Structure formats: structure tokens, C-alpha cells
Amino acid sequence: MKKAVNITGKLGGDDGFQDRLLSYLNQNLPYQIVRLTPLRRNVFIVRLSDGFQFVLKGYSSLRRLKIQEAFIQSLKKEGFPFTYSMYSFPKEHCLYFESQYFGIFEFLTKGEEPFFYDSKKSCQEGLQLLEKFHGVSEKLVGSYKTLLPFFHLIEKWEERFRQFKSNIPMLSFFLQKEVVQDLSDWAEWSLAGIKQEKGALQLFPNVILHGDVAHHNFFRSSNGELLLIDFDLISISPAMIDYLQYANRILPFLNWSCKELSSFEQLLPYFKHTIFLYALVYPTDIFREWNRLVKDHSFNDTRKVRAVMELTIGQYDKRQAFYEEIKTRITNGGN
């Protein structure tokens, strides 16, 4: 048997964590495991002696693990095959190791062309898949309404803004005062408008949101099929919440063009709703990344700082012009 390669504390605990996990798995699974390859914290690719591979992922509670198992099974049963499978164990035979409950996921083979938001075609393909996901997840809301939280947009964004404002003394070493003020002004204007129009959210049916529509959660398989993965942040709310996050993700690749964004058939209907327009102005991505940088004490990591600075400043003028166009649309009644 090959000895497992140690991993850093960042990926799985102390330096002997992977060796201990390998020993535990070989004692508790009816397979000969020859290698664990870390992907990120508490997520590993497991290779068996016959070459078969699967993904092992740790959860902080058995409840979270079981919800993932049930939800993925529900998706497939209701007609959404565009994701991985998850292999479940009876409750009494769950994999529990050093405060983590581990689930086993199908290993997906990557295609030659990974998925990125680097073309309008890719952006459209991702939206089409997300639309299919919402079409199925809407049917599941009744079954999961007591298991999943409701996503409260206003509360979430107000808290993110509070964190950003509390971090301003630290951010002043990196950002000009005028930039910080602009970001704060945009957030205040956006939140005020969303609160004013919050009743409009009742016009939309609830779905189960994916919650993290970053490009890396869209997976291009070896047969060219696009899959949706990683449902750790699922919650209940109108589909507009996922589409807002998706819009925020793709706008930098669209050069912050309002015309390009509204050209997608899945997004165009939302441009008729003022609450969606107000929400597009909230700089959620910038707040998220600066707050994370402060929380993780990563100011000495030049690579991370450079990436967040580029996000903030790189297309600042285009972002500002986009926001001004949105404000004009609202002033003109959404036209």
C-alpha cells in the first residue's frame, strides 16, 4: 500500500491528519485505499487499488451531510441529472473522524475545456443550466422548507456593509478615501431602494437557491456536458437572488455593459423590476472580498491583496458608469 502524502494544516489539520484519515478509512470501508489527494480543507480525492476514484468531503454535522445526500437525490428524482451522485450510508454506519462527518461523492472527470465566464456563450450556458435547476428546485421547496433557511437579502447585505464599514480603518492603507466613500454611497443608495421595493419579492415564487454560482461550481465533464455542483449554501428564496449573484459574477467579463447583461433571456424579465435594478448597484463582490481579507488576516499575502485590489480598481470607471446607467433607468421608470 502506498503511503499517503501529508498535507498542511490549512487543508486538513495537523501534519499527520491525512495519514490518520487514511488509516481510519481503510479500517471502516471495504476497499483498499492507496492515496488521498487534498483538494481543499476537508475535501479529498480517494484512489482505490483498482484505480477507482471518489471524492470524500467532510461536514461539521451529520444533519448537514444528510441534507446534502437527500437534496442531490431529490434533484435527480425530479428530473435534474446535471450534477454528481452522492453515495449514502445508514446513519449507524456513517464515517465520523475527528469532528467531521464524511460523505462520498462521485468523482467527475474534467473535460478539456474548463468552464469560465470568459465568453457570452459560456455565460448563457451557465444561465440555462441555472434556469433548469430552479425549475426543479421550485418543486422541492415544500419538502425542504423545514430543513433549509430562508435567504434574507436585506439582512445579509446590511451585515456585509456593516463589516465593511468596521474594516475601513484597515482598508485606508490600501484604498483612497474617495473610493471607500463611493462604495459606501453605492451601498446605502442600493439598500434604501431595495427596502423601499422589498414587497416586490412576493411577486416571485420561491425556489431552492444554489447560493454560490461562482464559475468553479459549474463543471465541464469529459463528455462536454455542463454540470452544477457544490450545494453547501442552498437556501430558500426567489430565483432572483441567484440571478443577482450570477450577474455580479459575469459583469466584469461583459465590461459592465447594461446592454449585454439585459440581452440574456433569463435576466431580461428582471430588468422590469426596480428592486432588481437597485440590487445590481450594491458592490457585494468588493465588500465580500475585503471583509474576507480582513477576517483571514491576509494583508501580508501579496497575491491575495493584488487580486482584491484588481477587483476593486481594475474596472472601477466602467462599474461606476454602469451604476449611473442603472440609476438613470430607475429615474425613468425602468426604461
Side-chain angles (χ1 to χ4, degrees):
M1 179 182 299
K2 296 181 181 179
K3 183 176 177 61
V5 179
N6 286 340
I7 56 177
T8 66
K10 181 179 180 181
L11 288 177
D14 58 74
D15 288 343
F17 179 88
Q18 185 173 339
D19 292 316
R20 297 195 303 275
L21 179 58
L22 176 63
S23 177
Y24 170 83
L25 294 174
N26 274 319
Q27 291 174 24
N28 288 273
L29 291 177
Y31 319 115
Q32 183 183 17
I33 299 171
V34 297
R35 183 172 296 278
L36 297 180
T37 303
L39 292 178
R40 57 185 184 275
R41 185 175 178 82
N42 291 319
V43 182
F44 305 87
I45 297 175
V46 180
R47 184 179 180 85
L48 307 184
S49 57
D50 62 1
F52 183 80
Q53 297 184 98
F54 59 82
V55 174
L56 188 75
K57 183 174 182 178
Y59 291 87
S60 59
S61 71
L62 182 60
R63 182 178 185 275
R64 291 190 64 192
L65 170 60
K66 290 302 179 181
I67 287 175
Q68 289 295 302
E69 290 179 354
F71 182 66
I72 291 170
Q73 290 174 2
S74 297
L75 281 177
K76 289 180 174 288
K77 183 178 179 180
E78 287 295 331
F80 186 82
F82 309 106
T83 189
Y84 41 38
S85 295
M86 192 172 179
Y87 310 109
S88 61
F89 293 92
K91 185 176 180 180
E92 60 273 17
H93 294 116
C94 66
L95 296 174
Y96 180 72
F97 179 74
E98 296 192 7
S99 302
Q100 292 282 312
Y101 292 88
F102 283 90
I104 293 179
F105 292 79
E106 175 187 6
F107 177 81
L108 300 174
T109 304
K110 291 183 179 180
E112 295 182 0
E113 298 182 5
F115 181 85
F116 291 106
Y117 296 137
D118 55 356
S119 70
K120 189 168 183 178
K121 180 181 177 181
S122 294
C123 294
Q124 180 64 67
E125 191 176 8
L127 278 170
Q128 290 170 342
L129 182 59
L130 193 58
E131 183 180 36
K132 292 177 182 177
F133 169 75
H134 290 149
V136 171
S137 75
E138 182 180 350
K139 303 175 186 177
L140 301 175
V141 170
S143 300
Y144 285 87
K145 62 182 179 181
T146 61
L147 299 174
L148 299 178
F150 192 88
F151 185 90
H152 297 281
L153 178 68
I154 295 174
E155 290 85 345
K156 175 76 171 180
W157 280 5
E158 284 185 326
E159 176 57 27
R160 183 166 288 182
F161 188 27
R162 280 194 293 269
Q163 291 177 7
F164 178 80
K165 288 190 290 186
S166 70
N167 292 330
I168 286 177
M170 179 67 72
L171 303 185
S172 63
F173 291 101
F174 300 90
L175 299 175
Q176 294 180 349
K177 182 179 179 180
E178 293 78 10
V179 171
V180 174
Q181 188 60 56
D182 279 347
L183 294 171
S184 298
D185 289 346
W186 295 341
E188 289 174 355
W189 183 86
S190 173
L191 286 170
I194 294 171
K195 291 177 183 178
Q196 176 182 310
E197 300 290 332
K198 65 180 181 181
L201 284 173
Q202 299 176 6
L203 300 174
F204 306 104
N206 287 328
V207 304
I208 297 179
L209 301 173
H210 181 275
D212 186 7
V213 293
H215 72 85
H216 54 76
N217 287 328
F218 291 84
F219 186 95
R220 180 81 66 192
S221 68
S222 57
N223 65 2
E225 188 173 49
L226 189 64
L227 308 176
L228 188 61
I229 63 174
D230 196 349
F231 302 99
D232 289 353
L233 297 181
I234 52 176
S235 61
I236 295 173
S237 201
M240 186 187 79
I241 305 300
D242 266 348
Y243 288 132
L244 277 170
Q245 188 185 109
Y246 197 96
N248 185 260
R249 295 281 186 176
I250 67 175
L251 272 166
F253 302 95
L254 302 176
N255 287 314
W256 289 89
S257 167
C258 194
K259 180 180 179 180
E260 289 294 320
L261 187 66
S262 62
S263 69
F264 294 106
E265 59 181 295
Q266 290 79 13
L267 300 181
L268 179 59
Y270 290 102
F271 275 80
K272 300 176 183 178
H273 299 276
T274 308
I275 189 172
F276 184 76
L277 299 178
Y278 275 117
L280 285 174
V281 174
Y282 184 84
T284 183
D285 53 340
I286 293 177
F287 288 172
R288 179 188 64 238
E289 296 307 319
W290 281 111
N291 289 343
R292 181 179 297 164
L293 200 69
V294 173
K295 180 181 178 181
D296 296 343
H297 303 285
S298 299
F299 289 115
N300 292 326
D301 189 324
T302 304
R303 180 183 60 82
K304 289 183 178 180
V305 171
R306 185 183 299 116
V308 181
M309 286 293 293
E310 175 60 27
L311 172 68
T312 308
I313 304 300
Q315 293 187 325
Y316 194 81
D317 291 341
K318 292 179 180 179
R319 185 191 290 253
Q320 188 172 40
F322 172 81
Y323 289 172
E324 292 301 322
E325 183 175 354
I326 291 294
K327 290 179 181 181
T328 299
R329 281 191 173 221
I330 293 175
T331 301
N332 294 335
N335 299 316

